[in-house]
Amino acid sequence: MAKKPTKNSSGRGYRDLTVKVKTAKGRKISSTNWLQRQLNDPYVKRAKADGYRGRAAYKILELDDKYRFLVPGARIVDLGAAPGGWCQVAVKRANALGERKGKAQGYVLGIDLQEMEPIAGADLYQLDFMEDDADLKVRDWLGGNAHVVMSDMAASASGHKQTDHLRIIALCEAAAYFAFDVLEEGGTFVAKVLAGGAEGDLQKLLKTRFTKVANVKPPASRSDSSEKFVVATGFKGCAA
């Protein structure tokens, strides 16, 4: 006899039974484990229900709940924006659609190497942010400097933990230097890093340019992941 779904601890609704995924012919065990984790991930289910393009949307939601940088009227740049979950969050919180009457209307700009499906309230461009004139293009599109530069980018995985750590730190440093070129004084930089020992130089760099630098692992980050986020606030400006 099939078991009935059980109520969750809050008494609201029901908790689904764990989904088991069989290893299909030709599928690696690691792929099967990833698929099973996705199917049983509450954030994946919430993202579908809430209309977000991925579970990563909750990471920026949780970071913003704590640090309050996605404010109405803010000009926001999302680096490596695909598939667009962070942009979706930014549009709502910065009031980019002007839906919150009496609040300033913000602007959200997403850039990525690949094309993205349109997002209402965001301008999306296919661009390599490391191109020589990328900062000039971004400031032109923004009509000024940014209040927030954020990045959930990760370098392609090599399968070697230390190599992957070094790659993502290098990518984060590149994003930081880009932020130095486009941020408004007092602005915020948010980026994903991987814990692993090589992020010390990045921390030192950010502390010379920002008033405060915090390292955070939001609840939406999987517990078995080494990812964390740097939240640097109070940009000191180009003269720092």
Side-chain angles (χ1 to χ4, degrees), residues 41-44 46 54-63 86 217-225 227 229:
D41 188 325
Y43 282 101
V44 172
R46 280 179 62 188
R55 70 185 306 285
Y58 297 101
K59 299 174 188 177
I60 197 65
L61 276 166
E62 291 164 354
L63 290 170
W86 279 30
K217 188 176 179 69
S221 288
R222 292 189 172 102
S223 58
D224 61 350
S225 170
E227 77 173 12
F229 291 82

Side-chain angles (χ1 to χ4, degrees), residues 140-156:
D140 183 53
W141 292 330
L142 289 174
N145 284 358
H147 296 105
V148 180
V149 173
M150 57 187 192
S151 165
D152 191 34
M153 293 184 294
S156 299

Side-chain angles (χ1 to χ4, degrees), residues 10-76:
S10 66
R12 295 173 297 179
Y14 291 89
R15 182 176 66 241
D16 295 332
L17 297 175
T18 301
V19 178
K20 297 292 185 182
V21 179
K22 294 182 179 180
T23 302
K25 185 177 180 181
R27 183 195 295 149
K28 295 180 180 179
I29 293 177
S30 59
S31 297
T32 299
N33 291 339
W34 179 88
L35 179 58
Q36 182 165 308
R37 184 175 65 179
Q38 286 292 103
L39 291 172
N40 291 287
D41 188 325
Y43 282 101
V44 172
K45 296 175 183 178
R46 280 179 62 188
K48 291 180 180 178
D50 293 343
Y52 289 124
R53 294 186 179 181
R55 70 185 306 285
Y58 297 101
K59 299 174 188 177
I60 197 65
L61 276 166
E62 291 164 354
L63 290 170
D64 186 53
D65 284 344
K66 185 171 184 178
Y67 295 99
R68 302 292 181 183
F69 47 87
L70 300 177
V71 297
R75 293 187 296 272
I76 300 162

Side-chain angles (χ1 to χ4, degrees), residues 52-199:
Y52 289 124
R53 294 186 179 181
R55 70 185 306 285
Y58 297 101
K59 299 174 188 177
I60 197 65
L61 276 166
E62 291 164 354
L63 290 170
D64 186 53
D65 284 344
K66 185 171 184 178
Y67 295 99
R68 302 292 181 183
F69 47 87
L70 300 177
V71 297
R75 293 187 296 272
I76 300 162
V77 179
D78 185 7
L79 300 177
W86 279 30
C87 281
Q88 289 178 298
V89 172
V91 164
K92 292 181 180 179
R93 298 215 164 178
N95 194 33
L97 286 169
E99 296 175 328
R100 297 163 65 185
K101 303 303 180 184
K103 297 287 186 180
Q105 186 171 351
Y107 180 77
V108 177
L109 174 65
I111 63 176
D112 200 282
L113 290 174
Q114 58 182 303
E115 288 188 62
M116 289 176 282
E117 290 295 318
I119 295 172
D123 284 345
L124 307 177
Y125 291 90
Q126 192 172 6
L127 175 73
D128 183 349
F129 79 93
M130 287 190 271
E131 289 180 5
D132 288 342
D133 61 347
D135 59 319
L136 300 178
K137 290 179 180 178
V138 165
R139 284 199 300 270
D140 183 53
W141 292 330
L142 289 174
N145 284 358
H147 296 105
V148 180
V149 173
M150 57 187 192
S151 165
D152 191 34
M153 293 184 294
S156 299
S158 68
H160 185 268
K161 187 175 181 179
Q162 186 61 21
T163 298
D164 291 341
H165 171 65
L166 293 173
R167 284 179 176 176
I168 196 169
I169 293 299
L171 190 59
C172 189
E173 286 185 351
Y177 278 108
F178 178 84
F180 300 159
D181 288 335
V182 302
L183 271 179
E184 187 88 5
E185 188 170 339
T188 298
F189 174 65
V190 182
K192 176 165 68 182
V193 296
L194 296 181
E199 64 271 26

